[in-house]
Amino acid sequence: MTASIDRIIARVSRWPGVETAPHRFGGTEFVVAGREIGHVHDAGVVDLALTRRVRDVLLTDGLADPHHVLPDSAWVTYRVRSDADVPDAMRLLRLAYLWRLLALRRRGVDLDPATDPDTDLRRLGLPADLDALVRETFRDSLDRWATV
């Protein structure tokens, strides 16, 4: 499992504004502008920090599981059991990254001016309910980006 997790770490750590650090319970965490967006454990566990609304949609759509330690929190867990699971893990991490970028853009901070969130959201191919939730939540940031 370590090779798959190493590939995930290598990819996510290249995204603008992402810093990596050792996670307090083992593994590697991903931090954007001082806030953790998620972390990975060598055993193949990917934990993501989102909102309860996003968490609920991910669980309903079967895209993630409740967090393995804090099942009633806004965190979710995705298990990488083979190389075939890496794309879905990356998709969820990219969602967490975009969520953070859009929240920062709302406050006038742009860590990644080259990222077009609308294009990224289309590439992620999220289920309609999840895509709509992201677009509804960050309509102001998405509209502002489109006019730049």
Side-chain angles (χ1 to χ4, degrees), residues 24-88:
R24 67 184 178 274
F25 299 120
T28 302
E29 68 184 34
F30 306 109
V31 178
V32 177
R35 179 174 283 168
E36 182 182 354
I37 62 168
H39 58 266
V40 295
H41 298 282
D42 290 341
V45 173
V46 178
D47 293 322
L48 300 146
L50 297 159
T51 67
R52 283 197 183 273
R53 287 176 61 200
V54 174
R55 169 206 182 267
D56 291 347
V57 173
L58 289 172
L59 297 180
T60 299
D61 289 348
L63 300 175
D65 297 320
H67 188 268
H68 59 106
V69 175
L70 304 167
D72 296 323
S73 72
W75 285 79
V76 296
T77 293
Y78 181 81
R79 297 186 188 282
V80 176
R81 294 179 172 93
S82 73
D83 286 341
D85 296 322
V86 170
D88 286 335

Side-chain angles (χ1 to χ4, degrees), residues 35 66 94-95 125 147:
R35 179 174 283 168
R94 189 67 181 185
L95 172 63
T147 61

Side-chain angles (χ1 to χ4, degrees), residues 98 102 105 115-122 135 141-142 145:
L98 285 174
L102 288 166
R105 283 182 178 177
T115 292
D116 173 358
D118 185 60
T119 299
D120 253 15
L121 285 170
R122 277 188 269 119
R135 291 175 188 282
S141 296
L142 289 165
W145 173 261

